[in-house]
Amino acid sequence: MTTHNHPIVSIITVVFNGAKTLRATMDSIVPHLSDEVEYIVIDGGSTDGTQDIIAEYAGHLAYWVSERDRGIYDAMNKGKKMASGRFLLHINVGDRLIHIPISTLASMPTNVVCVAGRVHRTKTGTFSPSNGFSLNYHNTLHHQGCFYSKQHSPDYNTTYRVFADFDVNQKISSDYRKIAITNEIIASHEEDGISNNPKYFREVYEIVKKNRGWIWLTACWLHFKWQGLKAKTRSYAK
């Protein structure tokens, strides 16, 4: 099932001082490794024992490095550069891999840039991806469930600290035929990460304004105001 002696999927984990949860993440990935699936770990120069844990798994890794970087998306770009798989899947520290739909990925047309699956979230339940007009104003593809084409997907914009994956999704969604949806659950995502911190949410508005313009920025603002109102209503009901 390999293509020209390259794997179908490269799984990439980026980590910085994640010794407490890294082992569980890596243990969820190792059973899925094969000639079709390789594993890459990019550490940002941790000082908490993370490097020792990675070294224990070195025999399972196609590549790993520990060095300072310019943040999570710089690390992800490094992983992409070193990957040899047709598709890239980012399972970061704290997350768990559940399933890789190898046969689905192997049969995808070469113009498909992203294959998006479902993701179990630890607090808010299972996220199901969608590919339609809603992606113009909010993210409808979950990063831990997305297999991105190495050849055709853009690099992450490192000026964004938290939502560069949304920027990538908007860029590839200009042609919706490039995105395929699968109903399979790919991963489990820990919702205590930085992406759930409201203080970084201004990036979402910046991305929508840059990629889609003012009309969709207004739609984005209204969407999240409505989501906030619904959340408050539910809390009052309790």
Side-chain angles (χ1 to χ4, degrees):
M1 296 178 70
T2 56
T3 303
H4 301 300
N5 298 318
H6 291 298
I8 296 171
V9 178
S10 296
I11 303 171
I12 300 169
T13 294
V14 303
V15 57
F16 177 67
N17 286 341
K20 292 182 179 180
T21 56
L22 178 61
R23 193 182 301 277
T25 296
M26 298 185 77
D27 282 342
S28 77
I29 293 171
V30 167
H32 298 269
L33 302 181
S34 67
D35 290 341
E36 289 82 30
V37 182
E38 69 174 9
Y39 190 21
I40 292 169
V41 178
I42 307 296
D43 174 50
S46 296
T47 58
D48 68 339
T50 289
Q51 296 177 35
D52 295 331
I53 295 173
I54 299 171
E56 292 178 25
Y57 292 80
H60 298 286
L61 303 179
Y63 175 82
W64 75 277
V65 68
S66 181
E67 61 186 15
R68 294 191 65 178
D69 53 49
R70 294 180 289 113
I72 185 171
Y73 293 113
D74 181 40
M76 288 182 179
N77 285 337
K78 286 183 181 181
K80 177 182 179 181
K81 182 178 180 181
M82 300 308 302
S84 58
R86 177 184 170 190
F87 290 99
L88 312 176
L89 174 66
H90 294 275
I91 302 293
N92 291 335
V93 62
D95 299 325
R96 308 287 189 273
L97 177 62
I98 296 174
H99 175 65
I100 299 178
I102 286 292
S103 60
T104 299
L105 296 169
S107 64
M108 279 292 154
T110 56
N111 68 318
V112 171
V113 182
C114 175
V115 180
R118 301 167 70 201
V119 174
H120 173 72
R121 298 174 297 183
T122 56
K123 293 183 178 179
T124 55
T126 301
F127 179 98
S128 296
S130 63
N131 177 26
F133 77 93
S134 296
L135 193 50
N136 287 304
Y137 59 86
H138 75 106
N139 201 6
T140 61
L141 306 175
H142 201 294
H143 201 217
Q144 280 76 9
C146 286
F147 297 86
Y148 294 100
S149 165
K150 178 182 178 179
Q151 181 179 359
H152 299 297
S153 63
D155 289 347
Y156 295 100
N157 185 336
T158 57
T159 62
Y160 299 124
R161 291 193 61 189
V162 181
F163 292 104
D165 53 310
F166 177 39
D167 177 55
V168 165
N169 291 341
Q170 282 210 323
K171 287 175 178 175
I172 66 176
S173 69
S174 57
D175 182 349
Y176 291 109
R177 293 171 298 179
K178 295 179 180 179
I179 301 173
I181 302 295
T182 175
N183 196 44
E184 297 175 89
I185 296 178
I186 305 304
S188 174
H189 170 59
E190 175 59 58
E191 291 184 278
D192 291 331
I194 190 172
S195 62
N196 296 284
N197 190 327
K199 76 176 184 177
Y200 296 108
F201 202 74
R202 61 178 178 79
E203 284 189 1
V204 173
Y205 296 118
E206 292 175 6
I207 290 166
V208 172
K209 180 182 176 182
K210 180 179 179 180
N211 292 335
R212 294 296 191 267
W214 284 98
I215 293 177
W216 287 111
L217 175 60
T218 302
C220 178
W221 184 85
L222 290 172
H223 169 77
F224 287 108
K225 285 296 181 183
W226 173 241
Q227 294 299 314
L229 178 61
K230 288 197 297 184
K232 287 182 180 179
T233 302
R234 286 194 296 267
S235 65
Y236 291 150
K238 294 180 181 179

